Amino acid sequence: MELLIRPIRQTELPLLEDFLYEAIWQPDSNRRLPREVVRTPALRPYVEAFGSQDGDCCLVAEVGGEVVGAAWCRVIRGFGWTGERIPELAVALYSSFRGCGFGTRLLRALLEELSGRGCCAVSLSVQRDNPAARLYLRLGFRTVAEHGGEWVMRCDLGDRTGAE
């Protein structure tokens, strides 16, 4: 499968709601949250009016002309907030495209884009038991806080020499 990573197009912005739902780690496939969860006040800021704020940035993963994943960030006080002007990111792939290295390539591309824009750091939140946590550690994120089973992680973009 040929992977193309590119900026999201204006017409594709509605897909962010789908990817936000995919970004919610749900280990039990028989007990999934309703899709409407992405419209709750806690999650809405991740996608609402995306592209309208300075610093909004989104790359998509495209395979065979279809968008199959997205990595995006914006400055919000979300679950992974670590400081003023530090954007928080989200990343997700449709389940059938996971485990192929696409997430790693997509996230690396977003980190490079943010670094090129002069961004000093980026943050996220992840459930400690979520397999994606290992990816974040490999790419240079470090845990800066823990709340229950959730890690708040930060990647300082100026010092990426140790990241794979």
Side-chain angles (χ1 to χ4, degrees), residues 33-64:
L33 297 169
R35 292 192 66 81
E36 294 76 32
V37 71
V38 299
R39 295 192 180 110
T40 62
L43 293 177
R44 198 74 204 138
Y46 288 88
V47 296
E48 190 169 56
F50 193 87
S52 66
Q53 298 178 22
D54 283 345
D56 283 1
C57 181
C58 180
L59 299 178
V60 296
E62 181 181 306
V63 174

Side-chain angles (χ1 to χ4, degrees), residues 20-35:
L20 181 59
Y21 184 75
E22 293 294 326
I24 300 168
W25 186 55
Q26 300 185 61
D28 185 347
S29 62
N30 295 318
R31 297 181 57 203
R32 295 188 48 90
L33 297 169
R35 292 192 66 81

